[in-house]
Amino acid sequence: MPETEIKNVPDYFGCNVFNETIMKTRLPKNVYKALVKTKQLGIALDTDIAEVIASAMKEWAIEKGATHYTHWFHPMTGVTAEKHDSFISPTPDGNVIMEFSGKELIKGEPDASSFPSGGLRATFEARGYTAWDPTSPAFVKDGSLYIPTVFCSYTGEILDKKTPLLRSMDVLSEQAVRVLRLFGNTTTTRVTTTVGPEQEYFLIDKKLYDKREDLVLTGRTLFGAKAPKGQELEDHYFGNINTRVSEYMKELDEELWKLGIYSKTKHNEAAPSQHEMAPIFTTSNVASDQNALTMEIMKKVALKHNLVCLLHEKPFAGVTGSGKHDNWSMSTNDGQNLLDPGANPKDNFQFLTFLVAVIKAVHEYSDLLRLSAASAGNDHRLGALEAPPAIISIFLGDELQTIIDALESGKMISENQDNEFVIGVEALPNFPKDTTDRNRTSPFAFTGNKFEFRMLGSADTIACTNYILNTIVAKELKGFADELENSKNFASDLNKLLVKTIKEHKQIIFNGNGYGDEWVEEAERRGLPNRVAAVDAIPHYTDEKNVAIFEEFKVLTRTEITSRTEILLENYSKIINIEALTMVDMCRKQIIPAAFAFSKQLADAMVSKHTVGVNYDAEKKIADKVSALTNGILAEVENLDEKLLGSKDVTGTEATARYYRDSVFSAMQSLRAVVDELETITPSSIWPFPTYTDLLFSVR
Ligand code: ADP
Ligand code: MG
């Protein structure tokens, strides 16, 4: 499109998506209706209907320039996967026609053997299959029709992060509808979970990025002395967006909008070169697909602007890392947000019931939520510089806390002689929605009509957090429904249940400063776990109570949980291993040679000065320091090498991950410290790669 042409967003929004409007115009009425029913009620689709949809999809995709189709899935690698097949099919006369069948739409058979299976591979054949998820819209991108799918092994074990998410949504819906029935709701047939993931990222110059092996191979800087300026002036957050970044954001928005992603908010974040994009919330599985797509588009669009988009949780030490706030709520198919306090007392009881269920769920299964955000990358972020600590707690805010206190003291709910609910206060106040100056230190905050889970790292998928959240809340709703369904006196039994639940679980609520050391001590007194490192958190996946809940709701089997745990731990070790090897490589090939060059420069200067009888104390002083640091670096490199070799003697995934954390990672930290010190005294002309100042302040 020419620069001068003004583009009208509604005209092109979703133009590359096989969305409701397209389906309505292109599908026969009965087929469209069947599909809508599938989407709303989460029920399976007939194969003959799939045939018609496939054909319409193909026609539409070809008009959009597509020649291929791909089943698009989310294996356990954490990134999306795709294998493209063209639509062509040979004809007897040597030509081709474009074909796409219902079968091809519904099912694909990628080789599963090269995707992580966490030990499942031994028990199943290499073959896996992908199955269409009709609840997430197909789209055209780069000449292919993308079909969102789930990914399973042939023997039925699931190999992706999406299947459990879909299952958890069903499970939550079933239990939430049961609870709604208790409140006399007879109309709601489905409750969906909604998610709005805010995505943080860094933008740095491509030319500088290319010069840093650590960024290229690991996505983060493994070395780098702090720049003289960081974020202390607080001048970047919500600051004026410079032209280059603003052009990037503009194109990003356009690309996302074409793909039907409701990109809504964009702003500069706390650290220099850090930014954020927030979409308008949507159904969990669609939000999860769209977030994966957003991350990909963010990176691709950046390259067009000679920028690199870093999605790592902590690309730079000393400034804020990047998170992904997972805003979560539950909505009925008749449009009611269950975490939005209602206008009348009955709705308020219902709101409080769902709220208390979430409180109980988060308290009982905080270990699951914690591990959903556990990764090598996020370890650098949690508890550091404006990121929540590794302790899970809930922030309710003063207004809601007052209500909860009143409820606990038994002053809230009663039933009058007409069997009507009576609430202690007439109606709940309209709680302030989250604003930027609200308590941002809590990992799990009530923000007016939703909860915001702030622990998740920027590089992670939101799927895991959300299938955990949905399942644990479903569990508590089930408990409530089981207890109250046969109640003769609903209001008073509900009151008793809520009071009891609050009493038992209120220690998870913390409205104070989550960044302070006092909270760490207080949390310990309250018995709330503080699993600082990913390796402390991940193994709890297989705790009996956690296996039990996933099995009870058929979201994951014990085998699948074990395999997921293995994959997470293996992945952790692999990442640290790559980072350590990269450090060694950079030291041997770039940093130590640079130190030698600097030493030589100083020695040459000393010799020259000596010849002409000029004092060379300054050179000598620096040369001694450089030599000492070079020795230090060499010693640390050798130590790190040795630690890496030592990993071969450790057996077992958990023990290996622990070894990487305790031995390899700490050796990396010591090495970095010496290198960073050398950097501060080395001239820019000699330092072998761009510094923090170059990287963080160059995008203008
Ligand atoms: P913040 O102050 O944290 O930046 P915003 O008001 O910008 O919060 O909202 C953050 C995200 O929360 C957005 O993606 C928004 O769409 C999402 N959100 C709002 N309501 C809901 C809801 N009911 N369910 C899920 N997400 C929601
Ligand atoms: Mg937020």
Side-chain angles (χ1 to χ4, degrees), residues 475-488:
K475 161 90 181 164
E476 309 305 355
L477 292 174
K478 178 176 185 293
F480 285 10
D482 288 347
E483 191 157 337
L484 294 170
E485 256 168 5
N486 297 319
S487 157
K488 300 270 176 313

Side-chain angles (χ1 to χ4, degrees), residues 198 276 325 327 434 440 452 454:
E198 302 164 59
E276 179 183 299
H325 293 175
N327 294 273
D434 189 27
R440 287 157 59 86
E452 181 173 0
R454 298 180 174 130

Side-chain angles (χ1 to χ4, degrees), residues 99 104 107 125 152 189 220 243 361 376 395 516 628 653 668 692:
E99 273 187 352
E104 286 166 319
K107 195 168 171 186
E125 294 180 68
C152 312
T189 49
R220 76 176 181 102
T243 313
F395 169 83
T653 337
M668 286 161 59
Y692 268 31

